[in-house]
Amino acid sequence: MTTFLISGGRGLVGKSLSQMLRRQGHKVYKLTRYPKRKGHIQWNPEKQFIDDKYLHEVDVIINLAGANIGERKWSDKRKIELINSRVNSINFLRSSVAKMPNLNYYISASGINCYGYNMHTEKLESDDYGDDFLSKLVQEWEHASNSFQDVCPVAILRIAMVVDKKGGALQKIMKTVRLGLGSPLGSGQQYLPWIHIKDLCRMFVYCIEHKKEGVYNAANGYVSNKEFMRTLSKKMKRPFFFPAIPRSILSLFLGEMSTMLTESLKVSNEKIKNTGFEFFHLNFDSAIAEIVQKES
Ligand SMILES: NC(=O)c1ccc[n+]([C@@H]2O[C@H](COP(=O)([O-])OP(=O)(O)OC[C@H]3O[C@@H](n4cnc5c(N)ncnc54)[C@H](OP(=O)(O)O)[C@@H]3O)[C@@H](O)[C@H]2O)c1
C-alpha cells in the first residue's frame, strides 16, 4: 500500500483519481483549503499553513491544485491568481518536504496549451513553449514542479481538455447540446486535444507505478471543433444545425480566454505510448459514446 497526498484532490481529476487509487488498496489524503471529511488535510498556501499531522506517512505527492482556468475572464488580476495559485502552492509544498521523510515520487498536472497555436505539425514534449499567456503560465508551473527534483523523481503531465460528464468544459457544452443548441465555435476547423478522464487517471497511475520522469503530453488525441460538436450532438441524439458562433462573439464574451476554444493545437502522444502505455479510448467517438451511454 502506498500513501498518496493529492493537492487540489477535491477537484474534477482528483475525485476520479483518488477513487481509482483507493480501489487499488492505497491510502489517499487530499490537501484542500476547505476540509469536509476524514482524509481531507487542510492547507492554505497563501497563508503558508498546512496541517502536518499525517505528512510523515506520505510516499507520493500528486499535485493538481490551481484556480480554474476556464471559470472566468482573464483580467490582469485573474491572470496573477491563475499563476500564483499554482506556483506558490507548489513552492509551499516543496518547503514542507522535511515533514515527509518517506516521499519518493512527485507528479504534477500541467496544461497542454503551452506550445502556442495554429501550427500544422503535432507538438512534441521537446518543442519550445509558446509566447501567449497560457504558455507562460505552464512554463512557470512546470519550473516550480521541477524544484522537487532535488528530493525525488518528478513527472509532469500536460493535460488536454478532460472529457468527463461530471464537470469541466464538457459538462457545460453538454448542457447547450441538450437544449438543441450544439454548434461549431469559430471556423470549427481548429483542432482540440482531449483526454478521457479514465485514461488520464490510468496515465497518472502508470507513471507512478513505473516511476516515469519528465514531461508527457496527456492526450488521447485531437479532434476538430466541428467534429467534436457533431459527434457529441449525434451521441446525445440532438440536432446539429445551429449556426457557427463567430469568433468575434466568443472574444467579446470570453476575452483572451476564447483562444482556448478558437485556436488550433495538434499534439503527439507517442512519447508515453513508446514507454508501453496504452490508451483505452482510441478515438473521440468511443470516448463520447461511453460518457453519453452512462448518462442515459
Ligand atoms: N479539467 C481539465 O480539462 C484540465 C485540463 C488541463 C489541465 N488541467 C489541470 O489539472 C489540474 C486538475 O484539474 P481539475 O479539472 O481537477 O481542476 P479543478 O476541478 O478546478 O480543481 C482544482 C483544485 O485546485 C484547488 N485550488 C483552487 N484554487 C486554489 C488556490 N488558490 N490555492 C490552492 N488550491 C487551489 C481547489 O481545491 P480546494 O478548493 O479543495 O482547496 C480545486 O479543487 C488543474 O491544475 C488544472 O488546471 C485540467
Side-chain angles (χ1 to χ4, degrees):
M1 182 193 78
T2 301
T3 301
F4 289 90
L5 181 68
I6 310 186
S7 57
R10 286 182 58 227
L12 182 70
V13 177
K15 278 185 194 146
S16 291
L17 183 53
S18 55
Q19 270 175 17
M20 189 179 273
L21 293 168
R22 283 182 179 136
R23 270 202 304 269
Q24 293 176 348
H26 301 299
K27 192 167 183 180
V28 176
Y29 290 114
K30 295 183 180 184
L31 265 186
T32 169
R33 293 162 302 162
Y34 313 108
K36 292 227 163 53
R37 57 175 68 106
K38 199 168 164 259
H40 287 180
I41 296 181
Q42 187 165 22
W43 76 331
N44 189 325
E46 217 177 312
K47 295 189 175 146
Q48 305 266 294
F49 166 79
I50 190 163
D51 176 357
D52 56 10
K53 200 159 41 175
Y54 302 105
L55 297 187
H56 64 281
E57 295 178 30
V58 172
D59 300 306
V60 171
I61 292 177
I62 301 176
N63 173 55
L64 304 174
N68 196 293
I69 306 243
E71 195 175 270
R72 64 182 98 121
K73 261 176 138 174
W74 301 342
S75 61
D76 288 346
K77 185 166 168 255
R78 182 63 177 167
K79 283 182 177 178
I80 292 169
E81 256 170 25
L82 292 173
I83 295 175
N84 286 352
S85 62
R86 290 175 166 75
V87 173
N88 295 353
S89 299
I90 296 170
N91 291 343
F92 178 54
L93 212 44
R94 174 67 185 80
S95 71
S96 310
V97 295
K99 295 170 182 161
M100 305 179 215
N102 300 328
L103 183 68
N104 61 64
Y105 191 72
Y106 169 95
I107 184 164
S108 178
S110 153
I112 201 75
N113 295 65
C114 63
Y115 301 109
Y117 298 106
N118 303 325
M119 312 293 171
H120 295 297
T121 51
E122 290 183 352
K123 288 294 176 182
L124 303 172
E125 291 82 346
S126 53
D127 284 327
D128 288 339
Y129 293 103
D131 294 322
D132 58 304
F133 167 67
L134 280 186
S135 298
K136 288 186 178 130
L137 179 147
V138 169
Q139 193 168 5
E140 289 194 42
W141 194 1
E142 294 184 349
H143 179 72
S145 277
N146 282 328
S147 68
F148 274 84
Q149 282 171 349
D150 298 343
V151 184
C152 59
V154 170
I156 293 174
L157 303 191
R158 291 181 173 163
I159 304 175
M161 190 192 91
V162 176
V163 171
D164 184 358
K165 68 169 189 309
K166 292 188 197 128
L170 185 71
Q171 190 190 48
K172 289 182 191 147
I173 297 169
M174 283 174 84
K175 279 185 191 159
T176 1
V177 172
R178 208 170 283 126
L179 295 171
L181 301 176
S183 61
L185 304 178
S187 72
Q189 303 302 312
Q190 69 279 25
Y191 286 99
L192 174 80
W194 62 275
I195 186 161
H196 190 280
I197 183 71
K198 195 155 79 183
D199 275 322
L200 177 60
C201 295
R202 290 178 60 248
M203 199 168 155
F204 268 102
V205 171
Y206 174 86
C207 288
I208 294 161
E209 283 176 353
H210 294 83
K211 287 256 163 41
K212 289 286 159 218
E213 291 186 57
V215 178
Y216 294 92
N217 289 338
N220 291 73
Y222 49 86
V223 62
S224 78
N225 177 271
K226 194 169 181 179
E227 198 47 40
F228 182 111
M229 295 306 293
R230 199 206 319 265
T231 306
L232 188 58
S233 305
K234 194 169 150 207
K235 297 286 176 210
M236 291 177 72
K237 300 193 173 55
R238 290 292 189 278
F240 178 66
F241 20 75
F242 212 69
I245 302 175
R247 215 180 145 104
S248 52
I249 300 284
L250 290 165
S251 167
L252 187 69
F253 284 100
L254 302 175
E256 197 178 341
M257 193 167 85
S258 66
T259 52
M260 283 200 299
L261 303 170
T262 58
E263 305 308 302
S264 192
L265 176 61
K266 294 181 184 179
V267 296
S268 162
N269 58 12
E270 286 302 312
K271 183 174 173 190
I272 192 71
K273 287 202 296 199
N274 285 339
T275 72
F277 179 76
E278 290 177 15
F279 286 97
F280 181 79
H281 289 289
L282 298 180
N283 55 59
F284 188 65
D285 200 87
S286 127
I288 287 295
E290 188 191 306
I291 286 195
V292 173
Q293 197 181 16
K294 277 194 182 160
E295 240 215 341
S296 51

